[in-house]
Amino acid sequence: SSRLLLHSLLKCSKLIACVHFYVFLRNKGFIPSNYVTEKNKIEANSWYCKNITRTEAEQLLRQEDKEGGFVVRESSKKGVYTVSVYTKTLSVHGEIRHYQIKITDTEQFYLAEKHVFSSIPDVIHYHEHNAAGLVTRLRYAVGSMGKCVPATAGFSSEKWEINPNELTFMKELGCGQFGVVKLGKWRGQHKVAIKAIRDGAMYEEDFIEEAKVMTRLCHPKLVQLYGVCFKQRPLLIIAEFLENGCLLNFLRQKGRALKEAWLLSMCQDVCEGMEYLEAHSFLHRDLAARNCLVDEHNVVKVSDFGMTRYVLDNQYTSSNGAKFPVKWSPPEVLHYSKYSSKSDVWSFGVLMWEIHSEGQTPFENRSNLEVVNDITKGVRLYRPHRASPQLHSIMYRCWHEKPQGRPTFSELLEEIRKLAENQE
Ligand code: ADP
Ligand code: MG
């Protein structure tokens, strides 16, 4: 029972972490996806905007300015949902239409009377492919991509440029592939991590362009990219600051003190962040414990997603380079550089292994070349000492030789949640 108590305390601290996040967002937008129940599965969708008004929905859609852009929000009348759609087919300035989702006597849902479904996500899914009476089909879910932290925390969401004069530097946090990382403050208030890019370490122009997209990836389990100071050198990258630093060091220092239930919940954190990236077709390409960070409540968030594409260092980017993450890579990446969400899934399996071995190096005594040979022959990592056989079998399925044989992050999340429930 003391374990139970501890577990619920830990859960509680996670809740606090999320509440903290809520505050940061000025109560707009998110519900942490680990609290999504069957009943309100609607909230797990990227098109869903909780607590936004009609006016805010209109602002959001105009800002996005995408034909067929849409959000689903709860109407002022509780329990009633409205779809707001943006279209430029009626006038060049763009118009917004609001449609209430109707409910039949038998608790079925519809927007067009002829097309009735048993759930709201089914209704939306149908209209993503068929206008069926709407001004346009629902082409582009604005949802969580649009209602980002930067906008609400006072960072501009339109511009991903940050004014360097509004930054102050506090102390050095560490040093990585791109250069020194410092703790700082933005407008004297918000703690932020500031990466100063070392000269010659990055394809800067390409990154600056991509940063526009990356600042709009928002999820409680992703380290938020706030923006970039790009009119100066060194280039500065401004991101969410996480108190407990890199996950790998954290595991090595504190791993022993963490209960199995917490190790599993760390895997769940990462899986939630990755499910979001998968849903937005964004590849991480270098998922590993060294690229995750830990916040003050020991919640894990995924960092450095997509960043390897901008590394200017052959030793790191070429699959036979000394710094290439061979031990985290599936056969199709090692042999053909074929990246996909399924190659991220492989890396996630290795990351679960790292978590449950308290930060050991996978294939510790093997060289990269030996690992390539072993993996190709079908050799896989053994069960780490802190993992149950059930968990090892989940990891193992991430290491299926063929990408299509591996589960998706969304499937993995479901399994990890089930495992967590059974542990309680
Ligand atoms: P790079 O991606 O350039 O290789 P890292 O992201 O690994 O650099 O950063 C180097 C170190 O700086 C990390 O190991 C970590 O200790 C620290 N660090 C980086 N980003 C943050 C952050 N957002 N919050 C707290 N510490 C950070
Ligand atoms: Mg890194």
Side-chain angles (χ1 to χ4, degrees), residues 104-228:
T104 67
D105 303 337
T106 54
E107 301 259 316
Q108 304 261 82
F109 303 88
Y110 66 91
L111 282 166
E113 233 163 332
K114 280 192 195 142
H115 306 283
V116 176
F117 300 91
S118 61
S119 77
I120 290 179
D122 288 343
V123 176
I124 300 305
H125 185 71
Y126 176 78
H127 288 281
E128 280 178 323
H129 301 280
N130 308 278
L134 307 187
V135 65
T136 166
R137 72 181 173 88
L138 309 177
R139 286 167 190 270
Y140 177 81
V142 170
S144 54
M145 288 284 273
K147 58 174 195 289
C148 240
V149 176
T152 44
F155 294 94
S156 160
S157 75
E158 278 271 88
K159 289 181 273 152
W160 70 109
E161 181 182 6
I162 286 178
N163 179 352
N165 297 327
E166 297 184 331
L167 295 170
T168 47
F169 292 85
M170 292 159 74
K171 65 165 188 193
E172 193 167 316
L173 294 170
C175 191
Q177 180 68 32
F178 291 117
V180 178
V181 185
K182 288 184 177 162
L183 169 65
K185 275 194 174 170
W186 181 76
R187 292 195 178 164
Q189 242 197 72
H190 299 281
K191 278 190 181 173
V192 291
I194 307 170
K195 244 181 221 189
I197 305 305
R198 191 165 39 80
D199 188 32
M202 180 189 251
Y203 291 106
E204 297 187 349
E205 299 312 313
D206 293 354
F207 168 73
I208 292 165
E209 193 50 36
E210 175 73 354
K212 250 193 259 187
V213 176
M214 286 168 57
T215 51
R216 292 169 53 200
L217 293 167
C218 295
H219 188 277
K221 303 298 165 61
L222 294 183
V223 175
Q224 182 65 48
L225 173 67
Y226 292 135
V228 187

Side-chain angles (χ1 to χ4, degrees), residues 73-82 100-102:
R73 58 191 173 84
E74 204 168 356
S75 312
S76 39
K77 218 160 96 196
K78 237 193 142 39
V80 178
Y81 294 90
T82 300
Q100 215 179 69
I101 301 178
K102 301 272 173 31

